[in-house]
Amino acid sequence: AMVMVDPEGRIEIVNEQTERLFGYTRAELLGSKIELLLPKRLSKTHVAHRSKFFADPQTRPMGFGLSLFGRRKDGVEFPVDISLSPVETAKGSYAVAAIRDITERRRSEDTLRKVDERFRDLVESSPDGMVIINAAGVIQQVNGQAEMLFGYGRGELLGKAIEMLLPERFRAVHVGHRSRYLARPQPRPMGAGLELFGRRKDGSEFPVDISLTPLQSPEGGLGVAHVRDVTARKRSERELLLAHLVRAQEEERLRIASDIHDDTIQAITAAGLRLQLLRRQLTDEKQLETLKKLEDTVQLAIQRLRNLMFDLRPPALERDGLAAAVRTYLDQLQVDSGIVGKLESKLSEEPPLETRAILFRIIQESLTNVRKHSKANTVKVRLETAEGGYGGSVEDDGVGFEVDQVQPRAGHLGLAAMRERAEMARGRLELTSIVGSGTKLRFWVPRDAGLMPEAALTR
Ligand SMILES: Nc1ncnc2c1ncn2[C@@H]1O[C@H](COP(=O)(O)OP(=O)(O)OP(=O)(O)O)[C@@H](O)[C@H]1O
Ligand SMILES: [Mg+2]
């Protein structure tokens, strides 16, 4: 719509669109004040603006940065866009206003803004880290969660290649994966069956689960990666596995020990008795000598089986108590390895059997390490009643090692299993070692430790 007004604001000329837009006839408009076409609340200020325009007339948009409104004859207001130009004629100065109804534009802008806001809310409130990249793998948007996960500020991420969030060793191959995905995007988990890792700003890595969703935008196809830190889940999976392992080991040991006792040792003892019967029938010196060797072998076999049984579940533990079982074990250690074992027991009572077995296993595992790794001269075991349970330590004067460097790995589960045992019993372990001067394990388990009920393992 085009409207021409004089310096007093009187309408001189209108076009057809003006009639249609505002609902007035040409006759009604001509000669009226331009303020007729404005919402009433704005007319006063408009009069002032109008005089200012005529004082220094220049072509310009009107009400720059403001929302402008027109008012129809029926009183309905609508958003408009107006540009003004001065026109000089023989009769004097005029202003021409080009008025455009922008209802439609406003509406779609509004919708867009709302969608945008909702989208942003959705992204921000997601419990997952979200990283949005474009087809070239450049980070377009991240949420607060992603900033926290990776330890970068938003400003450090936007505009960078996504690969900065990956461990270096995966970066090169990721570029290929990523461009293949973005060429034909569809929602899916990432790296199915693989262990994925993120890399923090400080260089540390953490296990992640990632799912990908494609997203269309006016600027082209985007990829949204939902990133979840699964450190805790991975850890509890590992712990649960270890708990099962320890329990299975305990049960297996008990089973083997009782098989040896009830079955194997009985059978060999019976063989020994038969040999004694045989002795009565033999007179030949040579044969008797052979028999003697056989009898010795049988005795040795029984002795070895008893030792094995002791390792599996020392009978002394049940019969004579914890201190006595540890004493016997230390004596055996000294015979086998030359390491002198000292025991200092301040137990004021004998722990319940289950607890006793747990304590013994911890000490045994620890003494096995002393024998295998420490090259120590002496090892000292201490036992005491403490804090509603039993505590103590195993201390050697051997080579020591870097405790932090030892990770549980295949075939080296001793320490991890020992820790697991203590935790299952709701107790604690503390291992300190100084390279060159020895290793000390301190432990404590509550009185009613026992093994975890089966139910707790099948959570
Ligand atoms: N008393 C010790 N003195 C020196 N090094 C030790 C001592 N105890 C443990 N270590 C070191 O810690 C590592 C881990 O011990 P851990 O008991 O977990 O495994 P392992 O003894 O090697 O194997 P496993 O116990 O499963 O037979 C050992 O390999 C050894 O290097
Ligand atoms: Mg070990």
Side-chain angles (χ1 to χ4, degrees), residues 275 279 282 285-301:
L275 288 179
R279 175 176 289 280
L282 294 183
E285 268 309 307
K286 265 253 168 65
Q287 287 178 334
L288 277 169
E289 204 175 300
T290 309
L291 184 67
K292 174 81 176 70
K293 276 189 189 139
L294 271 174
E295 281 174 339
D296 286 352
T297 309
V298 166
Q299 277 319 305
L300 194 66

mmCIF file of all heavy atoms in Angstrom, residues 275 279 282 285-301:
data_model
loop_
_atom_site.group_PDB
_atom_site.id
_atom_site.type_symbol
_atom_site.label_atom_id
_atom_site.label_comp_id
_atom_site.label_asym_id
_atom_site.label_seq_id
_atom_site.Cartn_x
_atom_site.Cartn_y
_atom_site.Cartn_z
ATOM 1 N N LEU A 275 48.635 -102.818 51.005
ATOM 2 C CA LEU A 275 50.087 -103.051 50.951
ATOM 3 C C LEU A 275 50.569 -103.689 52.246
ATOM 4 O O LEU A 275 51.430 -104.576 52.252
ATOM 5 C CB LEU A 275 50.828 -101.739 50.705
ATOM 6 C CG LEU A 275 50.698 -101.141 49.295
ATOM 7 C CD1 LEU A 275 51.466 -99.832 49.195
ATOM 8 C CD2 LEU A 275 51.173 -102.114 48.231
ATOM 9 N N ARG A 279 52.514 -107.258 52.752
ATOM 10 C CA ARG A 279 53.789 -107.413 53.450
ATOM 11 C C ARG A 279 53.857 -108.771 54.172
ATOM 12 O O ARG A 279 54.895 -109.429 54.192
ATOM 13 C CB ARG A 279 53.965 -106.274 54.448
ATOM 14 C CG ARG A 279 55.191 -106.367 55.347
ATOM 15 C CD ARG A 279 55.297 -105.140 56.225
ATOM 16 N NE ARG A 279 55.677 -103.952 55.432
ATOM 17 C CZ ARG A 279 56.917 -103.669 55.055
ATOM 18 N NH1 ARG A 279 57.896 -104.493 55.385
ATOM 19 N NH2 ARG A 279 57.199 -102.617 54.360
ATOM 20 N N LEU A 282 54.944 -111.688 51.966
ATOM 21 C CA LEU A 282 56.205 -111.633 51.231
ATOM 22 C C LEU A 282 57.381 -112.011 52.129
ATOM 23 O O LEU A 282 57.400 -111.664 53.320
ATOM 24 C CB LEU A 282 56.437 -110.239 50.672
ATOM 25 C CG LEU A 282 55.466 -109.749 49.590
ATOM 26 C CD1 LEU A 282 55.869 -108.374 49.095
ATOM 27 C CD2 LEU A 282 55.400 -110.737 48.432
ATOM 28 N N GLU A 285 63.623 -110.627 50.057
ATOM 29 C CA GLU A 285 64.183 -109.322 50.418
ATOM 30 C C GLU A 285 63.926 -108.264 49.345
ATOM 31 O O GLU A 285 63.519 -107.140 49.645
ATOM 32 C CB GLU A 285 65.706 -109.451 50.620
ATOM 33 C CG GLU A 285 66.131 -109.743 52.048
ATOM 34 C CD GLU A 285 65.536 -108.787 53.087
ATOM 35 O OE1 GLU A 285 65.668 -107.555 52.911
ATOM 36 O OE2 GLU A 285 64.906 -109.275 54.050
ATOM 37 N N LYS A 286 64.206 -108.653 48.079
ATOM 38 C CA LYS A 286 64.051 -107.723 46.945
ATOM 39 C C LYS A 286 62.628 -107.187 46.854
ATOM 40 O O LYS A 286 62.390 -105.985 46.700
ATOM 41 C CB LYS A 286 64.396 -108.474 45.636
ATOM 42 C CG LYS A 286 65.834 -108.259 45.219
ATOM 43 C CD LYS A 286 65.884 -107.312 44.003
ATOM 44 C CE LYS A 286 67.271 -106.810 43.699
ATOM 45 N NZ LYS A 286 68.206 -107.834 43.282
ATOM 46 N N GLN A 287 61.667 -108.124 46.999
ATOM 47 C CA GLN A 287 60.254 -107.749 46.910
ATOM 48 C C GLN A 287 59.857 -106.832 48.075
ATOM 49 O O GLN A 287 59.095 -105.865 47.907
ATOM 50 C CB GLN A 287 59.373 -108.999 46.886
ATOM 51 C CG GLN A 287 59.458 -109.732 45.558
ATOM 52 C CD GLN A 287 58.638 -110.983 45.546
ATOM 53 O OE1 GLN A 287 58.381 -111.582 46.604
ATOM 54 N NE2 GLN A 287 58.242 -111.423 44.356
ATOM 55 N N LEU A 288 60.390 -107.159 49.270
ATOM 56 C CA LEU A 288 60.072 -106.338 50.441
ATOM 57 C C LEU A 288 60.604 -104.913 50.267
ATOM 58 O O LEU A 288 59.970 -103.936 50.679
ATOM 59 C CB LEU A 288 60.658 -106.972 51.713
ATOM 60 C CG LEU A 288 59.794 -108.075 52.318
ATOM 61 C CD1 LEU A 288 60.549 -108.834 53.394
ATOM 62 C CD2 LEU A 288 58.491 -107.509 52.867
ATOM 63 N N GLU A 289 61.755 -104.824 49.646
ATOM 64 C CA GLU A 289 62.348 -103.504 49.391
ATOM 65 C C GLU A 289 61.464 -102.673 48.451
ATOM 66 O O GLU A 289 61.209 -101.492 48.689
ATOM 67 C CB GLU A 289 63.722 -103.701 48.760
ATOM 68 C CG GLU A 289 64.656 -102.511 48.978
ATOM 69 C CD GLU A 289 66.037 -102.827 48.441
ATOM 70 O OE1 GLU A 289 66.645 -103.809 48.949
ATOM 71 O OE2 GLU A 289 66.463 -102.139 47.496
ATOM 72 N N THR A 290 60.995 -103.347 47.369
ATOM 73 C CA THR A 290 60.077 -102.695 46.431
ATOM 74 C C THR A 290 58.804 -102.252 47.148
ATOM 75 O O THR A 290 58.300 -101.147 46.957
ATOM 76 C CB THR A 290 59.707 -103.648 45.279
ATOM 77 O OG1 THR A 290 60.897 -104.189 44.729
ATOM 78 C CG2 THR A 290 58.913 -102.915 44.211
ATOM 79 N N LEU A 291 58.293 -103.144 48.017
ATOM 80 C CA LEU A 291 57.077 -102.837 48.784
ATOM 81 C C LEU A 291 57.283 -101.588 49.643
ATOM 82 O O LEU A 291 56.414 -100.699 49.718
ATOM 83 C CB LEU A 291 56.705 -104.039 49.668
ATOM 84 C CG LEU A 291 55.402 -103.861 50.451
ATOM 85 C CD1 LEU A 291 54.213 -103.812 49.502
ATOM 86 C CD2 LEU A 291 55.219 -104.972 51.471
ATOM 87 N N LYS A 292 58.453 -101.519 50.277
ATOM 88 C CA LYS A 292 58.757 -100.353 51.128
ATOM 89 C C LYS A 292 58.670 -99.070 50.311
ATOM 90 O O LYS A 292 58.087 -98.053 50.738
ATOM 91 C CB LYS A 292 60.176 -100.525 51.714
ATOM 92 C CG LYS A 292 60.687 -99.330 52.506
ATOM 93 C CD LYS A 292 60.098 -99.362 53.928
ATOM 94 C CE LYS A 292 60.643 -98.234 54.805
ATOM 95 N NZ LYS A 292 60.167 -96.934 54.407
ATOM 96 N N LYS A 293 59.229 -99.113 49.087
ATOM 97 C CA LYS A 293 59.199 -97.929 48.221
ATOM 98 C C LYS A 293 57.762 -97.559 47.878
ATOM 99 O O LYS A 293 57.384 -96.381 47.890
ATOM 100 C CB LYS A 293 59.989 -98.193 46.937
ATOM 101 C CG LYS A 293 61.471 -97.940 47.134
ATOM 102 C CD LYS A 293 62.216 -97.976 45.816
ATOM 103 C CE LYS A 293 63.714 -97.946 46.068
ATOM 104 N NZ LYS A 293 64.422 -98.871 45.165
ATOM 105 N N LEU A 294 56.953 -98.592 47.583
ATOM 106 C CA LEU A 294 55.537 -98.364 47.275
ATOM 107 C C LEU A 294 54.816 -97.695 48.444
ATOM 108 O O LEU A 294 54.051 -96.743 48.270
ATOM 109 C CB LEU A 294 54.845 -99.690 46.947
ATOM 110 C CG LEU A 294 54.879 -100.128 45.486
ATOM 111 C CD1 LEU A 294 54.287 -101.530 45.348
ATOM 112 C CD2 LEU A 294 54.093 -99.141 44.632
ATOM 113 N N GLU A 295 55.079 -98.253 49.647
ATOM 114 C CA GLU A 295 54.418 -97.685 50.844
ATOM 115 C C GLU A 295 54.813 -96.226 51.060
ATOM 116 O O GLU A 295 53.973 -95.378 51.376
ATOM 117 C CB GLU A 295 54.775 -98.526 52.092
ATOM 118 C CG GLU A 295 53.972 -99.804 52.185
ATOM 119 C CD GLU A 295 54.448 -100.691 53.333
ATOM 120 O OE1 GLU A 295 55.603 -100.529 53.780
ATOM 121 O OE2 GLU A 295 53.664 -101.541 53.780
ATOM 122 N N ASP A 296 56.107 -95.928 50.850
ATOM 123 C CA ASP A 296 56.568 -94.540 50.997
ATOM 124 C C ASP A 296 55.864 -93.618 49.993
ATOM 125 O O ASP A 296 55.444 -92.511 50.339
ATOM 126 C CB ASP A 296 58.077 -94.458 50.779
ATOM 127 C CG ASP A 296 58.840 -95.018 51.973
ATOM 128 O OD1 ASP A 296 58.174 -95.307 53.008
ATOM 129 O OD2 ASP A 296 60.071 -95.165 51.873
ATOM 130 N N THR A 297 55.750 -94.117 48.758
ATOM 131 C CA THR A 297 55.094 -93.317 47.721
ATOM 132 C C THR A 297 53.646 -93.014 48.111
ATOM 133 O O THR A 297 53.161 -91.885 47.963
ATOM 134 C CB THR A 297 55.115 -94.065 46.369
ATOM 135 O OG1 THR A 297 56.450 -94.487 46.108
ATOM 136 C CG2 THR A 297 54.627 -93.174 45.249
ATOM 137 N N VAL A 298 52.970 -94.048 48.627
ATOM 138 C CA VAL A 298 51.585 -93.855 49.051
ATOM 139 C C VAL A 298 51.503 -92.814 50.175
ATOM 140 O O VAL A 298 50.647 -91.901 50.155
ATOM 141 C CB VAL A 298 50.958 -95.203 49.485
ATOM 142 C CG1 VAL A 298 49.665 -94.979 50.251
ATOM 143 C CG2 VAL A 298 50.722 -96.089 48.287
ATOM 144 N N GLN A 299 52.413 -92.902 51.140
ATOM 145 C CA GLN A 299 52.420 -91.931 52.242
ATOM 146 C C GLN A 299 52.636 -90.511 51.725
ATOM 147 O O GLN A 299 51.971 -89.569 52.149
ATOM 148 C CB GLN A 299 53.523 -92.289 53.270
ATOM 149 C CG GLN A 299 53.116 -93.342 54.282
ATOM 150 C CD GLN A 299 51.680 -93.127 54.778
ATOM 151 O OE1 GLN A 299 51.327 -92.051 55.262
ATOM 152 N NE2 GLN A 299 50.841 -94.167 54.649
ATOM 153 N N LEU A 300 53.585 -90.405 50.769
ATOM 154 C CA LEU A 300 53.893 -89.099 50.195
ATOM 155 C C LEU A 300 52.675 -88.516 49.468
ATOM 156 O O LEU A 300 52.353 -87.328 49.607
ATOM 157 C CB LEU A 300 55.068 -89.238 49.219
ATOM 158 C CG LEU A 300 55.715 -87.919 48.793
ATOM 159 C CD1 LEU A 300 56.395 -87.258 49.987
ATOM 160 C CD2 LEU A 300 56.725 -88.164 47.670
ATOM 161 N N ALA A 301 52.000 -89.400 48.715
ATOM 162 C CA ALA A 301 50.807 -88.954 47.985
ATOM 163 C C ALA A 301 49.760 -88.428 48.958
ATOM 164 O O ALA A 301 49.135 -87.378 48.736
ATOM 165 C CB ALA A 301 50.247 -90.092 47.147
#
